[in-house]
Amino acid sequence: MNALSDKLKKLDDIIASYGPLAVAFSGGMDSTFLLLRARKIPGVAVTAVTARSSIFPSEEAAISTELCRKLGIKHITVNLGSDFFDKIRYNGADVCYTCKKAMFTAMKDAVSPLPLADGTNGDDPDDYRPGLKALGELDILSPLKEAGLGKEDIKELLKKTAPELDIPLPSACLVSRISYGEPLDERKLAAIDSLEIALRNMGFSSVRVRSHGDLARVEVAASERERFADSGIMDKVSKLVKGAGFTYASLDLDGYRTGSLNDILSQNK
């Protein structure tokens, strides 16, 4: 067997050891693959559970619901209320930990007594992810990580096992668009969500709109920066950004990259 086959066999053995299982399901690549694999394991009845809140991109809810319908998997949704938002509103450097702790506590309670697994993969610990600490404290299972499957492994396996499914690239929660220390505002989160949808509708594949107070910093894929620099596109984006409530619009010259707001944390070490 090749290395990928070994990892897949290890994953199957790990999942089989759980028995009936719930999976925290965002509709992204990792959690979708975990659902698909778990439903193939004899003796494992799998349930998907998805959290709902204004901190998630609006398209995510429809994607997760539709995928569960296509897959024929039981789907539980957990609506996180105002108490949850109040816990993360201050948006400190530990907001990811606070958010994950509250969100996964709610999902774990909703599916009890089933064990709850998530889509953390073998590459995730390489990034700044304080939320992983919260998952450990709650005994959330991470079989993809345990089996050593990384992002590229999962992408390859999904193409082989479910080529008919249109699986979107994972999208971090909207809190990751707001600079640390800037209090969270549901209206601004909704504005950022709308701006990113508009930019994708303009043909930009990888997009983030980061908030720095009155300034919106737009990230597009490095290969798409030249197209963005067209004066007509810049004028349109500027109008959209200012119409969404920002005073200034800017383009990040480095292009799109995950976790760019964490740059300030490494600079302050």
Side-chain angles (χ1 to χ4, degrees), residues 144-206:
L144 300 177
K145 174 185 171 185
E146 189 177 344
L149 287 162
K151 293 181 179 69
E152 292 304 314
D153 295 330
I154 294 164
K155 188 183 298 184
E156 181 179 341
L157 289 167
L158 261 179
K159 286 180 181 178
K160 291 179 179 178
T161 59
E164 76 284 0
L165 290 179
D166 182 20
I167 310 298
L169 292 173
S171 180
C173 77
L174 295 171
V175 175
S176 67
R177 319 307 202 256
I178 310 291
S179 55
Y180 292 118
E182 180 182 337
L184 300 181
D185 180 284
E186 289 186 287
R187 289 172 298 180
K188 178 170 277 191
L189 291 172
I192 289 171
D193 185 36
S194 296
L195 286 170
E196 291 188 352
I197 291 172
L199 285 161
R200 286 194 292 272
N201 288 339
M202 291 169 64
F204 293 101
S205 59
S206 298

Side-chain angles (χ1 to χ4, degrees), residues 1-268:
M1 291 194 295
N2 60 35
L4 188 55
S5 297
D6 291 342
K7 292 178 184 179
L8 192 58
K9 174 62 167 59
K10 184 176 182 180
L11 176 66
D12 289 348
D13 291 343
I14 292 168
I15 295 173
S17 72
Y18 300 150
L21 175 70
V23 172
F25 183 50
S26 67
M29 203 167 49
D30 298 337
S31 58
T32 298
F33 174 69
L34 182 56
L35 274 177
L36 286 170
R37 201 67 199 174
R39 71 200 287 263
K40 292 179 178 291
I41 307 300
V44 176
V46 64
T47 298
V49 56
T50 303
R52 299 277 192 255
S53 170
S54 58
I55 70 168
F56 300 118
S58 58
E59 294 177 331
E60 190 174 279
I63 289 169
S64 60
T65 298
E66 179 61 15
L67 276 174
C68 283
R69 186 193 65 78
K70 284 183 178 179
L71 297 171
I73 291 175
K74 180 181 178 182
H75 189 205
I76 296 172
T77 59
V78 178
N79 292 311
L80 305 174
S82 57
D83 288 345
F84 164 78
F85 197 83
D86 287 342
K87 289 177 182 177
I88 62 173
R89 189 185 300 275
Y90 72 98
N91 193 29
D94 63 345
V95 66
C96 185
Y97 169 83
T98 305
C99 177
K100 291 286 189 184
K101 190 70 177 279
M103 179 172 62
F104 273 82
T105 295
M107 288 194 291
K108 189 173 181 179
D109 289 345
V111 300
S112 181
L114 293 176
L116 179 61
D118 84 314
T120 299
N121 65 60
D123 294 331
D124 285 333
D126 294 335
D127 193 6
Y128 174 72
R129 293 182 182 270
L132 294 179
K133 178 184 176 184
L135 301 186
E137 291 173 354
L138 292 170
D139 295 321
I140 304 301
L141 306 170
S142 297
L144 300 177
K145 174 185 171 185
E146 189 177 344
L149 287 162
K151 293 181 179 69
E152 292 304 314
D153 295 330
I154 294 164
K155 188 183 298 184
E156 181 179 341
L157 289 167
L158 261 179
K159 286 180 181 178
K160 291 179 179 178
T161 59
E164 76 284 0
L165 290 179
D166 182 20
I167 310 298
L169 292 173
S171 180
C173 77
L174 295 171
V175 175
S176 67
R177 319 307 202 256
I178 310 291
S179 55
Y180 292 118
E182 180 182 337
L184 300 181
D185 180 284
E186 289 186 287
R187 289 172 298 180
K188 178 170 277 191
L189 291 172
I192 289 171
D193 185 36
S194 296
L195 286 170
E196 291 188 352
I197 291 172
L199 285 161
R200 286 194 292 272
N201 288 339
M202 291 169 64
F204 293 101
S205 59
S206 298
V207 172
R208 289 291 185 270
V209 176
R210 314 282 190 186
S211 171
H212 299 268
D214 290 335
L215 181 145
R217 174 168 56 90
V218 179
E219 297 176 6
V220 297
S223 60
E224 296 175 332
R225 288 174 297 176
E226 185 175 352
R227 175 171 171 255
F228 189 97
D230 175 84
S231 60
I233 288 179
M234 288 193 294
D235 287 346
K236 183 175 181 179
V237 172
S238 178
K239 185 176 180 179
L240 286 170
V241 167
K242 292 173 182 178
F246 291 94
T247 304
Y248 307 103
S250 69
L251 172 68
D252 190 305
L253 300 184
D254 290 327
Y256 167 76
R257 61 208 184 279
T258 59
S260 68
L261 285 174
N262 291 334
D263 292 350
I264 190 67
L265 298 178
S266 59
Q267 292 171 9
N268 290 337

